């Protein structure tokens, strides 16, 4: 059977109808990884024996009428910053290379409780800092649509593995766009849930007030199913929300075949009149508007005036938080120790100097600087004030519209080495960063294929916080009606 870009809900239907077994599913994905991952390099590690053992248990449960959920036996791959008991969790960094996780992240525990099988560790930018996966200490993941182009980042392995049909669905983390941007570059769906929807327990922290775990999948329904499974309050994460969480997949199924009459979609002028936005992105965006209009949606011009500060604000707040979060990796409490060091200070210097890559060191320096007593007010406090203004922009906008439509990225995927200047690289997230600062949710959905490069181009739907249900419905109706039905690379 053909597993190319198959969804997990289709696999689940086949399992439920006894048309296939989990062992067959997992064997297929293992074979696929063995066939293509030498080119894509999405996986840092995977262990066949463990996966097949889990698949056998899932089949056994189903045979005895004890399946844990309709998804029992479906594999899901993890970004290498989400802990799975007994597996490495390196964050693609040398400093954590020897570490084995002693516990499951809450998201992993919830997936396992539903019978899903964690399948391998996915490459990423070191400590989730980057937009191209080029900052991994171990390997460069390629874009399955063009092996000379980047898959995006930091969840590049998560997006590339799904696009390359090495796994039906994966988890990534999004601090400033790291789920949506690589999903857009690889032609798959990427969801950043509302901050606090999904527990961060077991996610190695980069910037705690921005980080959120979310799925990368082949369609919007799969993203909703995963949020149903992993979302909801977790006492182990003090920032986890108490709000009711669930019913996302049902909301989509109820809206299948519906139109969008009465829906007001905001188009922020700052995202369209933006310097550096490519023709193909604008074409895809305009085509997407036509699709939504044909289903009855109404468009409203809106303004998010503080958007222009979002990237700068992000690089003050994210680096400040990162410098504190990464202080624990000192070669003593956590992380690889340099054994040549002769005293305590040298142990810190050498372990951190050798363990962290260039981008991570740059961010620790920047973060320490903006938090230092002389500059705290000038940078950190100012950035926090600007963050409030960015959040208020969204509040104002959502008084006029129900949902916002933007491109996900200013260009399709770029070639390896194309953005050597870190500041240029930082601009790759210009359309995704603001909503991490504001805390609300967004989803990237493939929209078109750029004629010149043959690469996918995507759009982003942004909703108010906790309004995922409506966001999923609209994204699903868009997906049902967009011109190109199948986004599949020729690998
Ligand atoms: N690309 C952004 C950065 O480098 C966002 C990363 C992320 O979302 N983890 O910080």
């Amino acid at each position: 059977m053909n597993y190319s870009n198959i969804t997990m809900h289709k696999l689940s239907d086949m399992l439920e109808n006894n048309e296939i077994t989990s062992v067959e599913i997992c064997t297929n994905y293992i074979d696929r990884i063995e066939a293509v991952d030498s080119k894509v390099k999405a996986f840092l590690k995977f262990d066949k024996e463990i996966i097949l053992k889990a698949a056998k248990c899932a089949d056994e449960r189903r045979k005895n009428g004890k399946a844990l959920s309709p998804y029992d036996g479906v594999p899901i791959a993890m970004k290498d910053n989400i802990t799975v008991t007994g597996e490495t969790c390196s964050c693609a960094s040398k400093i954590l290379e020897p570490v084995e996780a002693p516990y499951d992240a809450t998201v992993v525990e919830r997936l396992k409780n539903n019978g899903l099988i964690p399948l391998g560790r996915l490459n990423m930018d070191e400590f989730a800092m980057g937009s191209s996966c080029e900052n991994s200490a171990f390997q460069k993941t390629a874009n399955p649509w063009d092996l000379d182009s980047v898959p995006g980042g930091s969840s590049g392995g998560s997006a590339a593995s799904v696009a390359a049909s090495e796994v039906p669905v994966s988890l990534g983390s999004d601090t400033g766009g790291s789920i949506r941007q690589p999903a857009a570059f690889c032609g798959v769906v990427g969801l950043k849930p509302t901050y606090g929807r999904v527990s961060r327990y077991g996610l190695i922290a980069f910037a705690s007030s921005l980080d959120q775990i979310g799925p990368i999948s082949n369609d919007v329904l799969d993203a909703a199913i995963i949020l149903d499974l992993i979302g909801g309050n977790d006492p182990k994460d003090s920032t986890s929300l108490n709000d009711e969480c669930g019913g996302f997949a049902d909301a989509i199924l109820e809206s299948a075949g519906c139109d969008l009459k009465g829906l007001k979609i905001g188009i922020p002028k700052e995202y369209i009149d933006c310097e550096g936005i490519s023709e193909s992105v604008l074409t895809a965006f305009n085509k997407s508007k036509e699709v939504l209009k044909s289903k009855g949606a109404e468009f409203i011009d809106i303004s998010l005036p503080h958007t222009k500060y979002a990237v700068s604000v992000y690089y003050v707040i994210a680096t400040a938080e990162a410098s504190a979060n990464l202080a624990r990796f000192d070669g003593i409490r956590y992380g690889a120790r340099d054994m040549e060091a002769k005293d305590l200070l040298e142990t810190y210097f050498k372990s951190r100097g050798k363990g962290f890559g260039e981008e991570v060191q740059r961010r620790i320096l920047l973060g320490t600087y903006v938090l230092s007593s002389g500059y705290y007010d000038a940078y950190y406090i100012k950035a926090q004030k600007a963050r409030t203004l960015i959040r208020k922009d969204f509040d104002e906008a959502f008084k006029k519209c129900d949902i916002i439509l933007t491109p996900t990225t200013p260009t399709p995927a770029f070639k390896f080495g194309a953005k050597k200047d870190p500041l240029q690289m930082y601009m790759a997230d210009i359309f995704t960063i603001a909503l991490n600062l504001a805390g609300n949710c967004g989803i990237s959905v493939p929209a078109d294929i750029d004629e010149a490069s043959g690469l996918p181009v995507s759009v982003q739907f942004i909703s108010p916080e906790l309004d995922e249900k409506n966001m999923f419905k609209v994204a699903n109706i868009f997906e049902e009606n967009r011109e190109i039905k199948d986004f599949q690379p020729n690998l």
Side-chain angles (χ1 to χ4, degrees):
M1 84 156 256
N2 182 6
Y3 281 81
S4 298
N5 298 96
I6 198 167
T7 57
M8 65 175 277
H9 56 87
K10 172 88 181 131
L11 289 172
S12 156
D13 288 346
M14 291 166 70
L15 283 166
E16 298 265 272
N17 296 331
N18 293 320
E19 290 164 27
I20 203 166
T21 65
S22 174
V23 169
E24 282 165 352
I25 293 175
C26 291
T27 306
N28 160 78
Y29 285 112
I30 291 170
D31 290 349
R32 176 75 178 164
I33 294 168
E34 286 178 341
V36 300
D37 208 56
S38 54
K39 291 190 267 181
V40 180
K41 298 197 174 75
F43 283 87
L44 289 171
K45 267 198 185 142
F46 82 110
D47 187 325
K48 273 199 237 184
E49 312 295 309
I50 297 180
I51 297 160
L52 289 174
K53 199 170 147 202
K56 272 191 201 129
C57 293
D59 285 337
E60 204 54 37
R61 284 193 294 269
R62 200 173 282 278
K63 207 170 84 198
N64 298 328
K66 296 210 166 96
L68 297 171
S69 80
Y71 311 102
D72 197 344
V74 174
I76 177 164
M78 301 291 160
K79 185 174 179 178
D80 203 33
N81 59 353
I82 300 171
T83 57
V84 177
T85 309
E87 299 206 15
T88 53
C89 191
S90 74
C91 293
S93 177
K94 285 197 192 131
I95 206 157
L96 287 181
E97 194 177 3
V99 170
E100 222 174 64
Y103 63 92
D104 282 334
T106 295
V107 290
V108 172
E109 187 181 279
R110 290 181 180 177
L111 291 171
K112 282 185 176 172
N113 288 343
N114 283 283
L116 281 92
I117 302 174
L119 180 149
R121 310 295 303 163
L122 293 166
N123 196 30
M124 55 187 281
D125 285 296
E126 186 177 359
F127 282 103
M129 297 174 186
S131 306
S132 66
C133 243
E134 291 167 292
N135 292 341
S136 165
F138 305 123
Q139 63 196 37
K140 287 189 176 46
T141 298
N143 190 315
W145 292 76
D146 167 25
L147 298 174
D148 295 327
S149 290
V150 304
S154 63
S155 311
S158 308
S161 59
V162 174
S165 299
E166 295 175 294
V167 69
V169 63
S170 66
L171 288 189
S173 65
D174 193 312
T175 306
S178 275
I179 290 177
R180 291 158 289 150
Q181 185 257 19
F185 278 9
C186 293
V188 286
V189 171
L191 167 75
K192 194 219 62 98
T194 301
Y195 183 79
R197 266 278 195 231
V198 178
S199 166
R200 291 183 296 107
Y201 180 76
L203 169 70
I204 312 288
F206 160 15
S208 314
S209 76
L210 302 159
D211 299 338
Q212 237 344 239
I213 296 175
I216 293 188
S217 58
N218 280 308
D219 73 355
V220 174
L221 180 55
D222 272 2
I225 292 169
I226 295 291
L227 187 60
D228 276 333
L229 297 176
I230 64 175
N233 180 260
D234 176 17
K236 291 180 187 146
D237 172 1
S238 61
T239 59
S240 155
L241 296 171
N242 274 317
D243 296 70
E244 199 187 308
C245 180
F248 301 115
D250 286 346
I252 291 186
L253 295 174
E254 279 159 25
S255 72
C258 290
D259 61 29
L260 296 171
K261 287 203 182 85
L263 184 84
K264 290 192 181 129
I265 303 183
I267 306 289
K269 65 171 191 281
E270 293 80 4
Y271 284 60
I272 308 304
D273 309 333
C274 158
E275 208 185 305
I277 190 166
S278 78
E279 269 313 305
S280 60
V281 167
L282 282 175
T283 307
F285 184 71
N286 289 330
K287 279 192 193 169
S288 306
K289 277 176 72 182
E290 286 308 314
V291 171
L292 295 159
K293 198 165 142 198
S294 73
K295 299 310 290 177
E298 185 192 331
F299 291 99
I300 294 179
D301 290 327
I302 55 163
S303 172
L304 299 167
H306 298 94
T307 300
K308 54 179 179 287
Y309 304 118
V311 172
S312 319
V313 168
Y314 171 86
Y315 278 96
V316 173
I317 293 175
T319 57
E321 293 184 19
S323 72
N325 278 326
L326 270 57
R328 74 193 68 167
F329 304 118
D330 56 6
I332 293 177
R333 285 171 301 172
Y334 297 99
R337 180 178 306 176
D338 184 88
M339 298 313 278
E340 284 160 22
K342 302 211 169 43
D343 55 32
L344 182 66
L345 213 53
E346 214 177 272
T347 303
Y348 290 151
F349 289 162
K350 287 203 163 152
S351 304
R352 286 168 69 83
K354 289 183 186 167
F356 290 133
E358 194 181 308
E359 182 62 24
V360 176
Q361 293 192 19
R362 182 174 9 257
R363 299 211 188 183
I364 292 172
L365 287 172
L366 189 58
T368 311
Y369 179 79
V370 300
L371 287 179
S372 60
S373 59
Y375 295 99
Y376 186 80
D377 287 346
Y379 294 111
Y380 185 71
I381 294 293
K382 204 171 187 178
Q384 291 292 12
K385 288 181 179 163
R387 180 178 190 173
T388 305
L389 296 174
I390 289 167
R391 201 187 155 90
K392 282 192 178 149
D393 280 356
F394 280 106
D395 292 346
E396 284 307 309
F398 286 124
K399 286 182 189 157
K400 301 190 191 109
C401 62
D402 306 303
I403 194 164
I404 294 173
L405 179 73
T406 74
T408 312
T409 55
T411 65
F414 45 86
K415 300 276 182 199
F416 285 108
K419 298 202 190 280
K420 293 221 160 54
D421 172 1
L423 291 182
Q424 253 188 32
M425 185 72 89
Y426 295 171
M427 297 316 275
D429 299 308
I430 188 161
F431 299 149
T432 50
I433 267 178
L435 66 118
N436 294 77
L437 292 164
N440 47 328
C441 52
I443 190 166
S444 175
V445 185
D448 198 14
I449 292 186
D450 170 28
E451 267 180 33
S453 63
L455 292 169
V457 184
S458 303
V459 290
Q460 171 178 237
F461 294 93
I462 304 175
S463 281
E465 55 187 15
L466 301 175
D467 202 20
E468 276 91 349
K469 268 191 195 159
N470 190 48
M471 187 173 78
F472 279 133
K473 282 191 213 167
V474 178
N476 181 59
I477 293 172
F478 171 71
E479 190 178 61
E480 278 176 349
N481 292 285
R482 71 185 169 198
E483 201 181 304
I484 301 174
K485 297 284 172 249
D486 227 15
F487 282 80
Q488 209 175 299
N490 212 343
L491 185 65

